[in-house]
Amino acid sequence: MPPKVPWWRHSVVYQVYLRSFADGNGDGTGDIAGLRSRLPYIASLGVDAIWVNPWYVSPMRDGGYDVADYRKINPIFGTLDEARRLFEEARGLGLRVLVDLVPNHTSSEHEWFQAALAAGPGSPERSRYHFLPGKGHNGELPPNDWRSVFGGPAWTRVPDGEWYLHIFDVSQPDLNWDHPEVRAEFEDILRFWMDLGAAGFRVDVAHAMVKHPEYTDVGDDPDDLMAIPSMDDHPHWNRPELHQIVRQWRSVIDEYEDSVMVAEAWLPDWANLASYVRPGQYHQTFDFLFLLSPWEPEAMRKAAEDALAATASAGAVPTWVLSNHDVVRHATRYALPQDVVAKTWLLDGDRALLDPARGLRRARAATLMMLALPGSVFLYQGEELGLPEVHDLPEAVLDDPTWERSGHTQKGRDGCRVPLPWTRDGTAFGFGDDGAWLPQPETWGELSVEAQEGVEGSTLEMYRIAIRMRGELLEDDEDLEWLDFGPNTLGFRRGSGVVCVVNFGPGTGSLPDGEILIASGPLAGEGIPVDTAIWVLT
């Protein structure tokens, strides 16, 4: 009998941004009670697991990624007992639950950081973080030129004159991973959640944590991490020393059967990414290079080929993703011209450039392509409804720290975090009984679960059918053969005989022989229309 293939090598995982999924207690914020009530819906999609964004005690300065206590649930989301019940109820429906680990930084309200502020310069308490004297005659300048991802300097001065490092928001001081107490603490946190019932972890900014011991200047560093040409010796991204930490984590994770660790590593190429999925390290790492590929057959094929080759060399498989809580939803990215940067367009871009119908067509086609590729897939809540980015949120409701830290030059990520519509009508379209923490567009009732449930050709039903067929036909092998169906198309055959063809246009694409299993849109006679994907069983 051949060895059992680990479930995560072919899994489909559904990402739950808890704050915006479903409100169970009527306070306008999604919570564990709401998620538990909607577990049957998630199971009906046919996915294998759920990934829940941070639900820990937090002042919510960065949507929960500023953690004040890693072993307690934020009261706005529920209780530890509810989390335990969620794990149990999910297992009863055949779903595993992954939780979010945030190891690069804590909240400034974490007891460790509060102790560091009280203890003063040179204290053991401060050694858990990165506290340094400043430059200049009186230490009035930051220790180096590092910049915050959210805008502005990555250093903040405290009243006694020292500066602390925060690669993200000022409320998120970076931990010192050279400190043995930090390493021991997170190994205990891993065991805490696994013992409670978690099936594994998505690890936030997995390419961070370790900093250059001499805190050398970055120099001319692009704002966009994916534009950095080389990550060989960056002072605070992708340090080689972090792999030792990951190997130790893996030894803990491997104590628990069928568990998994997924790296969120925003790196510019697979030469860097492949090291994260070597044996004894992460099981998976998200392929953001595929997510960022333009809607062009050559670009998307190269992104897929690079990922397949690099992960195979490490004994792993790609982890595909098109949307998440940090990026503009792909139904909107694909609705814009190729030369428009979507996250910049959000602020004050020309709205006439947006073609929502084209965006949805391309989003559906890209999804069918992604689901046909070997490896695992992560879906972001609401993409199965075809939800677009909400680009016109009023400035007064913006919550993402990027908005303030950038001096109102970047709108941030709130537009992809708007609460889901469950019903055509009613308060907050069924999200909860007392509105929603971010306003939903008036038109979202027709995109709701209720409006699409059981409707032939709806985006929701396309996802359900494709995920089911993927499980039936595409999980027994990891083979792929690229096929030529002419210019402006992309095609490949899986070992099962399923052929996926995507027509990027212009013009109608050739329809291969065989039984048509599913199409992302209506077919045009004997051909494949522009911005359409099909699966054919040959």
Side-chain angles (χ1 to χ4, degrees), residues 208-487:
M209 298 191 295
V210 177
K211 311 313 190 268
H212 194 290
E214 296 179 4
Y215 300 93
T216 55
D217 282 350
V218 171
D220 186 17
D221 200 4
D223 289 331
D224 183 357
L225 181 65
M226 303 299 279
I228 296 174
S230 173
M231 301 292 290
D232 293 338
D233 193 31
H234 195 282
H236 62 74
W237 294 132
N238 198 39
R239 300 293 305 166
E241 301 90 342
L242 64 81
H243 294 284
Q244 178 190 2
I245 299 166
V246 177
R247 284 190 287 270
Q248 186 56 41
W249 287 352
R250 180 63 181 265
S251 69
V252 173
I253 292 292
D254 284 348
E255 295 172 12
Y256 299 84
E257 186 178 3
D258 287 338
S259 57
V260 66
M261 279 198 309
V262 188
E264 184 219 18
W266 287 89
L267 296 172
D269 54 56
W270 272 102
N272 288 284
L273 277 171
S275 65
Y276 286 72
V277 289
R278 290 178 297 198
Q281 297 196 45
Y282 288 103
H283 301 81
Q284 302 173 306
T285 184
F286 292 120
D287 184 4
F288 296 125
L289 298 167
F290 181 76
L291 179 154
L292 294 170
S293 295
W295 182 250
E296 298 169 358
E298 296 84 2
M300 296 200 84
R301 173 170 172 167
K302 183 179 187 312
E305 284 181 324
D306 288 350
L308 289 162
T311 51
S313 70
V317 291
T319 302
W320 313 105
V321 59
L322 288 170
S323 283
N324 64 32
H325 66 293
D326 283 332
V327 300
V328 175
R329 285 185 177 274
H330 63 286
T332 294
R333 295 200 313 274
Y334 293 145
L336 291 167
Q338 302 277 32
D339 59 348
V340 173
V341 179
K343 69 177 183 180
T344 302
W345 174 87
L346 292 177
L347 181 63
D348 53 10
D350 183 358
R351 287 352 191 200
L353 297 175
L354 192 69
D355 185 339
R358 179 182 64 194
L360 182 57
R361 284 197 310 272
R362 291 179 173 179
R364 288 166 57 110
T367 296
L368 278 196
M369 175 186 172
M370 175 177 69
L371 287 170
L373 288 166
S376 62
V377 171
F378 274 66
L379 308 176
Y380 179 47
Q381 64 177 48
E383 70 171 81
E384 78 278 12
L385 305 177
L387 295 186
E389 187 85 0
V390 182
H391 60 75
D392 56 355
L393 287 171
E395 293 180 4
V397 305
L398 297 180
D399 184 75
D400 186 350
T402 301
W403 175 241
E404 294 297 337
R405 293 281 300 178
S406 69
H408 298 178
T409 62
Q410 296 181 45
K411 204 164 189 180
R413 301 161 293 175
D414 295 300
C416 64
R417 302 175 177 185
V418 174
L420 295 191
W422 292 93
T423 58
R424 274 196 171 95
D425 304 300
T427 304
F429 300 113
F431 168 73
D433 296 332
D434 192 29
W437 71 279
L438 282 175
Q440 302 151 301
E442 294 179 0
T443 57
W444 271 24
E446 290 309 307
L447 294 176
S448 65
V449 174
E450 180 185 40
Q452 298 193 46
E453 192 97 54
V455 176
E456 184 177 357
S458 70
T459 303
L460 173 59
E461 295 304 330
M462 184 199 79
Y463 268 72
R464 283 177 168 156
I465 293 169
I467 293 169
R468 175 178 57 79
M469 287 184 174
R470 185 179 191 274
E472 294 171 352
L473 300 171
L474 298 173
E475 291 186 359
D476 290 339
D477 68 84
E478 295 173 1
D479 301 327
L480 181 143
E481 175 191 3
W482 294 101
L483 304 173
D484 184 4
F485 287 99

Side-chain angles (χ1 to χ4, degrees), residues 31-357:
D31 48 37
I32 297 174
L35 172 54
R36 289 171 61 201
S37 74
R38 299 291 186 177
L39 281 175
Y41 167 77
I42 298 176
S44 78
L45 296 174
V47 302
D48 303 287
I50 305 167
W51 154 36
V52 183
N53 285 94
W55 52 11
Y56 312 108
V57 170
S58 166
M60 300 295 286
R61 292 283 298 275
D62 181 25
Y65 283 92
D66 47 327
V67 181
D69 192 324
Y70 289 86
R71 295 178 183 82
K72 292 182 180 177
I73 299 289
N74 191 326
I76 68 171
F77 296 136
T79 66
L80 268 180
D81 185 58
E82 285 183 289
R84 185 183 297 106
R85 292 181 185 180
L86 170 69
F87 295 146
E88 294 171 353
E89 291 165 7
R91 278 198 301 273
L93 292 169
L95 298 168
R96 297 170 171 87
V97 180
L98 311 182
V99 299
D100 217 314
L101 186 71
V102 187
N104 179 68
H105 48 263
T106 69
S107 165
S108 55
E109 294 187 13
H110 191 284
E111 63 178 3
W112 275 6
F113 192 72
Q114 289 298 305
L117 292 178
S123 63
E125 290 83 357
R126 287 204 173 179
S127 64
R128 297 177 182 135
Y129 295 89
H130 298 273
F131 279 86
L132 291 179
K135 293 182 177 179
H137 292 298
N138 299 303
E140 72 277 8
L141 300 176
N144 62 27
D145 67 352
W146 297 1
R147 299 197 305 275
S148 164
V149 171
F150 294 150
W155 297 92
T156 291
R157 199 177 193 188
V158 298
D160 57 42
E162 283 202 320
W163 298 73
Y164 71 88
L165 176 67
H166 52 88
I167 294 297
F168 292 87
D169 189 61
V170 64
S171 66
Q172 295 168 298
D174 282 48
L175 287 162
N176 174 17
W177 274 88
D178 289 332
H179 200 297
E181 287 185 34
V182 173
R183 297 195 181 202
E185 170 72 355
F186 275 84
E187 287 181 27
D188 189 76
I189 290 168
L190 293 176
R191 288 192 170 92
F192 177 87
W193 288 102
M194 298 295 287
D195 289 342
L196 201 68
F201 300 88
R202 175 267 192 186
V203 179
D204 186 53
V205 288
H207 54 294
M209 298 191 295
V210 177
K211 311 313 190 268
H212 194 290
E214 296 179 4
Y215 300 93
T216 55
D217 282 350
V218 171
D220 186 17
D221 200 4
D223 289 331
D224 183 357
L225 181 65
M226 303 299 279
I228 296 174
S230 173
M231 301 292 290
D232 293 338
D233 193 31
H234 195 282
H236 62 74
W237 294 132
N238 198 39
R239 300 293 305 166
E241 301 90 342
L242 64 81
H243 294 284
Q244 178 190 2
I245 299 166
V246 177
R247 284 190 287 270
Q248 186 56 41
W249 287 352
R250 180 63 181 265
S251 69
V252 173
I253 292 292
D254 284 348
E255 295 172 12
Y256 299 84
E257 186 178 3
D258 287 338
S259 57
V260 66
M261 279 198 309
V262 188
E264 184 219 18
W266 287 89
L267 296 172
D269 54 56
W270 272 102
N272 288 284
L273 277 171
S275 65
Y276 286 72
V277 289
R278 290 178 297 198
Q281 297 196 45
Y282 288 103
H283 301 81
Q284 302 173 306
T285 184
F286 292 120
D287 184 4
F288 296 125
L289 298 167
F290 181 76
L291 179 154
L292 294 170
S293 295
W295 182 250
E296 298 169 358
E298 296 84 2
M300 296 200 84
R301 173 170 172 167
K302 183 179 187 312
E305 284 181 324
D306 288 350
L308 289 162
T311 51
S313 70
V317 291
T319 302
W320 313 105
V321 59
L322 288 170
S323 283
N324 64 32
H325 66 293
D326 283 332
V327 300
V328 175
R329 285 185 177 274
H330 63 286
T332 294
R333 295 200 313 274
Y334 293 145
L336 291 167
Q338 302 277 32
D339 59 348
V340 173
V341 179
K343 69 177 183 180
T344 302
W345 174 87
L346 292 177
L347 181 63
D348 53 10
D350 183 358
R351 287 352 191 200
L353 297 175
L354 192 69
D355 185 339

